[in-house]
């Protein structure tokens, strides 16, 4: 084979795999979906109407109904007489009841979670059930019993982040922020660091008027990073690319209005936007992947932030949010990740050139948790979106966005860097709304 033939083969073979050191940080892109969740759900609905689905398929069906906020149908399916009760479907049934938030649903969830705890086979499962049990008890104004459930969850699995977070917020609300720091010190010393730990640790520092330590724990000044993407190959400008990408997102078959359990309010979302037929999103994600890998390579060693999930291998999880004049994000963190970010695809002119906070993203502390005065003393960082701009920040940083109250759309692609180990034990689609 001559040299020209070799060159032609190389040029059409796609991107080369770059040689990387053994200990280098590897970030994988999400696998594209063939169908949206809506498509898969429609297929299962059709099958379920014609014949009885096996237990495994019924559980999957119920999970999709839950994901689409069809909680009543999920509850009916999971409570069916022929359903074989397992830890997994009891936990999903409890989650569906809790998602509806009525007092009767909270009471029903409590009963189901007691059953789930009895079906738990591992300390991790026991801790997860107990953490949700405490959540239901809080909803039913049984705070003392909730506290005991959270403590029992942490005895079963000290790494249970949800139990730690809810117990810590109870302590902060009761004036026991020093106990939060003491409990978090034990976990940090044991290497059990997670985003909820760092988030509430920072809040506890603020409540104790240790503002410098609170700011250092959040770490936005040190680790917040941003820039403007260059146009992907084949595009003459990032503006032209963004215009086309905005339409790909706005026309996505998985786009839907709001979703229970996320921080997005009065907003349209696509939870899993990468499809096999996506054209422009893969180009954006590869550009983001390269930026993140370069950022991590240059990141200074820092504990405990680097221990919240930094690993040799991680996966990028992605979702998209589209808002008009009244849409916004409530205060939240990203509990399944250690590094998070956003890319702005389309930003209204009034936001780009404005002088106030309308349409902006703000990092700080939720006043509802620590009080308005302490939140103001801690300070905030307000970032004005610009189309083509990307931003990275520690996942334990509380943040929110403001409605832009004007014409036009604000479209962004948000993402999390999730370690392979964390991804194997956590299923999330975007941030947790609970502070």
């Amino acid at each position: 084979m001559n040299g020209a033939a070799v060159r032609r083969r190389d040029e059409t073979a796609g991107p080369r795999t770059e040689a990387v050191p053994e200990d280098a940080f590897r970030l994988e892109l999400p696998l594209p979906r063939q169908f949206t969740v809506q498509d898969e759900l429609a297929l299962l609905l059709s099958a379920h109407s014609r014949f009885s689905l096996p237990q495994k398929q019924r559980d999957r069906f119920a999970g999709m109904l839950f994901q689409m906020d069809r909680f009543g149908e999920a509850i009916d399916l999971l409570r069916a007489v022929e359903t074989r009760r397992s830890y997994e479907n009891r936990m999903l049934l409890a989650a569906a009841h809790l998602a509806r938030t009525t007092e009767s649903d909270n009471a029903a969830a409590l009963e189901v979670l007691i059953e789930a705890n009895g079906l738990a086979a591992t300390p991790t499962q026991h801790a997860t059930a107990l953490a949700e049990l405490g959540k239901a008890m809080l909803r039913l104004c049984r705070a003392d019993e909730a506290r005991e459930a959270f403590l029992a969850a942490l005895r079963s699995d000290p790494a249970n982040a949800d139990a730690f977070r809810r117990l810590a917020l109870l302590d902060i609300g009761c004036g026991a922020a020093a106990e939060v720091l003491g409990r978090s010190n034990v976990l940090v010393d044991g290497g059990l660091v997670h985003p909820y730990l760092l988030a509430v640790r920072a809040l506890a520092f603020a409540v104790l008027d240790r503002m410098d330590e609170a700011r250092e724990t959040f770490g936005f000044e040190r680790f917040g990073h941003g820039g403007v993407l260059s146009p992907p190959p084949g595009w003459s400008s990032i503006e032209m690319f963004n215009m086309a990408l905005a339409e790909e997102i706005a026309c996505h078959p998985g786009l839907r209005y709001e979703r229970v359990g996320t921080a997005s309010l009065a907003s349209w979302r696509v939870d899993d936007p990468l499809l096999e037929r996506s054209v422009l999103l893969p180009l954006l994600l590869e550009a983001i992947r390269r930026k993140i890998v370069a950022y991590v390579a240059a990141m200074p060693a820092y504990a405990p932030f680097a221990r919240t999930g930094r690993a040799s291998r991680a996966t990028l999880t992605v979702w998209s949010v589209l808002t008009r004049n009244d849409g916004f994000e409530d205060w939240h963190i990203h509990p399944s990740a250690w590094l998070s970010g956003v890319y702005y695809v389309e930003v209204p002119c009034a936001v780009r050139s404005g002088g106030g906070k309308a349409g902006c993203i703000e990092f700080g502390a939720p006043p509802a948790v620590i009080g308005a005065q302490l939140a103001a003393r801690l300070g905030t960082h307000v970032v004005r979106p610009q189309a083509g701009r990307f931003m990275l920040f520690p996942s334990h940083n509380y943040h929110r966005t403001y409605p832009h109250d004007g014409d036009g759309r604000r479209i962004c692609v948000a993402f999390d860097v999730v370690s392979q180990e964390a991804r194997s034990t956590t299923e999330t689609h975007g941030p947790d709304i609970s502070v």
Side-chain angles (χ1 to χ4, degrees):
M1 184 179 292
N2 60 35
V6 171
R7 283 195 296 275
R8 282 196 297 272
R9 184 187 67 185
D10 288 346
E11 289 166 0
T12 58
R16 295 183 179 87
T17 301
E18 300 174 2
V20 293
E22 287 288 330
D23 60 347
F25 173 71
R26 292 173 173 82
L27 180 60
E28 299 177 1
L29 296 180
L31 294 175
R33 299 175 62 99
Q34 185 176 6
F35 302 108
T36 65
V37 174
Q38 291 93 323
D39 292 335
E40 293 185 38
L41 182 57
L43 290 172
L44 280 173
L45 278 168
S46 176
H48 184 61
S49 67
R50 287 183 284 122
F51 53 84
S52 179
L53 294 173
Q55 177 70 46
K56 187 175 181 180
Q57 290 298 318
R58 284 207 307 275
D59 287 350
R60 177 173 171 76
F61 184 18
M64 288 184 177
L65 289 168
F66 177 86
Q67 191 173 343
M68 296 305 298
D69 297 343
R70 296 167 66 168
F71 305 121
E73 293 168 85
I75 289 169
D76 290 342
L77 190 61
L78 290 164
R79 286 193 177 277
V81 174
E82 69 273 16
T83 297
R84 179 182 59 82
R85 298 186 177 189
S86 67
Y87 171 83
E88 289 76 14
N89 59 40
R90 295 298 93 177
M91 290 297 291
L92 182 57
L93 175 58
H97 276 297
L98 288 171
R100 297 205 298 191
T101 70
T102 68
E103 186 170 357
S104 61
D105 276 299
N106 293 331
L110 186 66
E111 293 181 7
V112 174
L113 287 164
I114 293 172
E115 182 183 1
N117 192 44
L119 293 167
T122 67
T124 298
Q125 288 184 344
H126 278 294
T128 302
L130 287 166
E132 289 297 288
L133 190 67
K135 176 181 177 179
M137 288 172 172
L138 280 180
R139 296 256 188 101
L140 295 168
C141 301
R142 295 161 60 175
D144 290 342
E145 293 171 88
R147 178 182 294 275
E148 290 304 314
F150 297 142
L151 287 169
L154 291 173
R155 286 194 294 269
S156 183
D157 179 13
N160 187 282
D162 195 53
F164 175 87
R165 180 270 303 258
R166 293 186 183 280
L167 180 60
L169 293 179
L170 274 176
D171 285 341
I172 290 174
C174 294
E179 292 184 22
V180 174
L181 289 183
R183 195 180 301 119
S184 69
N185 287 338
V186 173
L187 294 178
V188 170
D189 292 343
L192 300 177
V193 181
H194 48 75
Y196 276 145
L197 182 148
L198 293 179
V200 297
R201 185 175 169 86
L203 296 180
F205 277 132
V207 169
L208 293 171
D209 203 22
R210 296 162 63 174
M211 294 300 178
D212 289 342
E213 291 165 283
R215 296 183 191 106
E216 176 67 15
T217 302
F218 277 134
F220 183 83
E221 299 92 335
R222 189 172 182 183
F223 295 103
H225 174 71
V228 177
L229 287 186
S230 301
W235 291 85
S236 59
S237 70
I238 196 66
E239 291 78 15
M240 295 297 294
F241 174 76
N242 282 335
M243 288 176 60
L245 178 59
E247 292 313 303
E248 182 171 292
I249 293 172
C251 296
H252 195 288
L255 187 71
R256 64 187 175 118
Y257 190 68
E258 293 196 331
R259 182 184 169 194
V260 175
T262 72
S264 301
L265 302 175
S267 305
W268 286 262
R269 291 175 58 95
V270 185
D271 286 328
D272 296 290
L274 185 61
L275 301 174
E276 289 182 356
R277 57 186 182 271
S278 299
V279 176
L280 303 178
L281 189 60
L283 299 178
L284 173 66
L285 298 187
E286 175 57 25
I288 289 173
R289 187 192 70 81
R290 291 177 178 272
K291 290 289 186 181
I292 294 172
V293 169
Y295 171 82
V296 172
M299 180 185 291
Y302 174 68
F305 166 55
R307 290 188 288 174
T308 62
R310 179 174 178 173
S312 59
R313 298 186 66 179
T315 300
L316 197 68
T317 64
V318 184
W319 62 102
S320 185
V321 181
L322 184 156
T323 61
R324 294 196 180 274
N325 63 316
D326 57 345
F328 67 100
E329 301 275 320
D330 206 351
W331 284 109
H332 64 279
I333 70 166
H334 295 227
S336 67
W338 70 280
L339 185 66
S340 299
V342 61
Y343 175 78
Y344 295 103
V345 181
E346 182 174 305
V347 179
C349 179
V351 175
R352 298 195 307 267
S353 58
K357 292 184 178 181
C360 293
I361 183 170
E362 180 178 42
F363 295 83
V369 178
I370 67 171
Q373 284 188 325
L374 287 175
R377 287 189 58 199
L378 179 66
T380 63
H381 298 272
V382 178
V383 180
R384 183 168 301 283
Q386 301 290 338
R389 178 185 176 88
F390 73 93
M391 182 166 49
L392 303 174
F393 52 88
S395 299
H396 66 276
N397 280 193
Y398 280 106
H399 54 286
R400 66 174 172 178
T401 66
Y402 289 88
H404 62 79
D405 296 325
D407 297 330
R409 307 176 299 190
R410 180 181 181 274
I411 302 177
C412 69
V413 174
F415 49 88
D416 280 339
V417 177
V418 182
S419 72
Q420 296 280 338
E421 181 180 356
R423 186 173 174 82
S424 68
T425 59
T426 307
E427 287 295 329
T428 61
H429 290 276
D432 175 29
I433 189 173
S434 303
V435 297

